[in-house]
Amino acid sequence: MTTVSDLSSAEPVPNPNTTTIGRSSGPPTSPSQCRQRRPRSTTLRRMTLNPRRYAHHRDGVLEREVPIPTVAGASCCPDFGRLDRGLRLEYTSSQKFRQTQRTPTSMANSAIPQTRKTLHPTKYRESLKPGTVLILLAGRFRGKRVILLKQLTGGALLVTGPFKVNGVPLRRVNHRYVLSTSTVVNIEGVDSKVIEKVSEEGYFTKGKESKAKGEEAFFKQGEKPEKKQVDSGRAEDQKAVDKALLASIKKVDNLSHYLGSSFSLRKGQQPHAMVF
Amino acid sequence: MGEPDIQTSNWRLVEVGRVVLFSSGVYEGRLATIVEIIDHKRVLVDGPSSDKDKVVPRQSAALSGLSLTPLVIPKLPRAAGNGFVKKIWESEGVESKFAESNWAKTQGRFAKRKQLNDFERFKVMKLKKAVRYTPFMRSTNLPRNVALGF
């Protein structure tokens, strides 16, 4: 800590753009020396508060004077806005994070924020098997009973009404907004190639980027909304998938009527006490 | 003013030999006989069923957790041991007698209803509707259970 007496001494005024480590016994030339001089907790606190000052520890070499970068944009901290959130298996266990040796170098590294969050592949409930009849609980088709075709990634499920039965098209649905029943429909005859095609990334999001936003949308407010153009390819895929489904649905009594009806809670029904 | 028809009340008495049903607790739904009356609140009870899931071990039970059934094992000796009770239980056919009663049948019906899955519930709803719209049902004003006799 600088005192009044220090300022009046013959020592040159320290350059605010440089950092110096230690005062009396010369610069530390190894991590062990650094450790001896100052308690570890203090070092860690200093590093956490001033990660940029201790950035030079990263290389394992301690320098006497290190210029703190003053150019805007040149920072040694990662861009907070775009932390990489991809699957990072090496950090899956937080244990591993804690086990890293507490050397000044690694402490400096850990002072620089790193994401501990990992994206794990979604774990779906046991009851969500292809062919299961599901009850949609939210969204445009809430209450509808639909057939599950496939588990997609990221928590999505591919379902279909079938369209002719209840008006629900090939659609993605979040597995958390869905009640699975114990009724299972045979989906063996369904064309797997079409399902593969529909499961591709971008099948459902293709046409959406071209929507007019911003000023155009503002000017368009008064006009009637454009009728949604359904891609004929989509309709064909729908028919291809539903053809086999409808055949197997017709084999079971009441099933098409059941899928055509909507679910709702009646008086006296308690979801937690009901078997689905 | 007509002649009053006086009948003695026909209560189900707490007595040695009375068949009881556990209405709550670990042994819910199981049958047992009263083997001895401990005090005005508790009885010694024993249910030596041949079915492993329906056995009630010999124990004192509070009457508040029991329901008295119309069945009685006649002339059961007070404080009879487990073996003797088991013998009489089987010879009287207590469990089969109870299963024939309306009580047991209603229990079974409601238990089945709770186990229905969504599709089955839908089918039941359709069947009920179908009955409601038969010419017979449409012609009466009687309540459904009376008209259909259950």
Side-chain angles (χ1 to χ4, degrees):
Chain A
M1 198 174 99
T2 40
T3 58
V4 179
S5 56
D6 281 351
L7 286 173
S8 60
S9 71
E11 257 190 2
V13 177
N15 189 336
N17 283 338
T18 64
T19 175
T20 57
I21 307 145
R23 266 167 265 127
S24 39
S25 51
T29 50
S30 69
S32 55
Q33 280 194 359
C34 190
R35 222 178 285 142
Q36 284 161 13
R37 176 164 301 119
R38 197 182 284 127
R40 210 182 256 173
S41 54
T42 320
T43 314
L44 184 63
R45 198 183 76 243
R46 289 164 70 98
M47 286 177 168
T48 318
L49 292 173
N50 303 292
R52 290 157 88 211
R53 284 181 139 221
Y54 292 89
H56 58 277
H57 283 233
R58 265 188 294 185
D59 301 326
V61 174
L62 304 175
E63 293 157 63
R64 175 101 215 218
E65 283 181 354
V66 179
I68 295 171
T70 49
V71 179
S75 72
C76 44
C77 298
D79 192 339
F80 278 73
R82 274 177 272 116
L83 285 172
D84 179 18
R85 288 182 173 236
L87 260 175
R88 200 199 297 256
L89 297 172
E90 60 264 31
Y91 290 121
T92 305
S93 148
S94 62
Q95 282 258 328
K96 223 174 170 172
F97 214 87
R98 277 186 240 122
Q99 272 167 20
T100 43
Q101 250 212 319
R102 296 284 221 106
T103 61
T105 318
S106 65
M107 282 206 275
N109 280 338
S110 56
I112 295 160
Q114 289 168 340
T115 171
R116 291 193 196 215
K117 295 196 192 276
T118 53
L119 279 181
H120 300 276
T122 312
K123 191 174 172 203
Y124 294 92
R125 277 168 278 158
E126 280 285 307
S127 52
L128 293 175
K129 298 209 156 54
T132 315
V133 174
L134 310 174
I135 299 171
L136 302 181
L137 296 174
R140 210 206 128 169
F141 299 103
R142 55 186 161 274
K144 296 282 186 187
R145 294 171 170 118
V146 298
I147 297 175
L148 170 62
L149 292 172
K150 191 177 176 194
Q151 291 176 356
L152 304 171
T153 56
L157 304 170
L158 179 65
V159 300
T160 181
F163 186 74
K164 277 229 179 319
V165 173
N166 54 22
V168 180
L170 283 165
R171 199 169 208 263
R172 294 176 303 173
V173 133
N174 191 308
H175 73 124
R176 285 283 171 207
Y177 293 87
V178 135
L179 249 182
S180 66
T181 64
S182 46
T183 317
V184 176
V185 176
N186 189 5
I187 61 164
E188 256 174 54
V190 178
D191 194 354
S192 53
K193 277 198 224 100
V194 182
I195 294 195
E196 287 294 314
K197 179 182 166 204
V198 176
S199 319
E200 273 170 29
E201 279 210 30
Y203 180 86
F204 290 102
T205 52
K206 242 188 314 198
K208 288 195 183 168
E209 309 105 37
S210 51
K211 261 194 193 157
K213 283 264 158 89
E215 283 188 23
E216 271 198 64
F218 179 75
F219 288 129
K220 275 189 177 172
Q221 262 177 10
E223 302 165 16
K224 266 168 82 178
E226 279 176 30
K227 191 158 185 210
K228 185 175 171 185
Q229 299 292 334
V230 176
D231 195 14
S232 67
R234 291 267 218 128
E236 275 168 31
D237 293 335
Q238 183 75 56
K239 281 188 201 147
V241 171
D242 286 355
K243 203 166 69 163
L245 271 180
L246 286 168
S248 51
I249 287 168
K250 290 218 168 80
K251 289 186 188 154
V252 184
D253 278 344
N254 296 318
L255 188 56
S256 58
H257 195 181
Y258 170 65
L259 290 172
S261 65
S262 287
F263 171 81
S264 73
L265 281 178
R266 313 291 167 153
K267 198 167 166 186
Q269 284 184 329
Q270 299 168 316
H272 71 285
M274 287 161 73
V275 173
F276 285 98
Chain B
M1 196 163 129
E3 273 190 33
D5 188 16
I6 301 169
Q7 291 172 329
T8 51
S9 315
N10 186 23
W11 290 304
R12 297 172 192 169
L13 303 172
V14 175
E15 56 188 316
V16 175
R18 173 68 57 184
V19 175
V20 295
L21 188 121
F22 277 79
S23 52
S24 64
V26 186
Y27 303 104
E28 195 178 330
R30 301 192 197 183
L31 292 172
T33 35
I34 294 176
V35 157
E36 182 151 27
I37 298 171
I38 299 169
D39 62 18
H40 75 290
K41 280 192 181 180
R42 292 176 299 155
V43 288
L44 183 67
V45 124
D46 198 349
S49 168
S50 44
D51 187 351
K52 201 162 51 112
D53 295 327
K54 301 217 179 109
V55 170
V56 175
R58 197 179 178 90
Q59 65 195 284
S60 91
L63 286 168
S64 60
L66 303 173
S67 302
L68 305 175
T69 68
L71 301 172
V72 188
I73 296 176
K75 295 207 169 59
L76 183 73
R78 182 176 68 85
N82 183 270
F84 189 79
V85 175
K86 189 179 172 86
K87 210 167 62 174
I88 293 204
W89 182 278
E90 267 150 32
S91 67
E92 289 285 321
V94 169
E95 282 173 84
S96 53
K97 273 193 193 150
F98 180 73
E100 287 164 5
S101 67
N102 273 336
W103 185 349
K105 288 181 183 157
T106 319
Q107 267 198 329
R109 227 182 298 137
F110 284 109
K112 186 89 190 4
R113 280 185 202 177
K114 289 212 164 181
Q115 292 307 311
L116 292 177
N117 72 23
D118 195 48
F119 189 22
E120 286 167 352
R121 252 177 271 129
F122 175 81
K123 288 190 243 182
V124 166
M125 184 262 285
K126 271 191 89 173
L127 289 169
K128 281 185 174 177
K129 261 190 165 179
V131 170
R132 215 185 301 153
Y133 284 94
T134 54
F136 167 68
M137 283 309 292
R138 298 191 80 186
S139 63
T140 60
N141 284 325
L142 294 171
R144 191 166 46 100
N145 60 331
V146 174
L148 296 172
F150 63 83

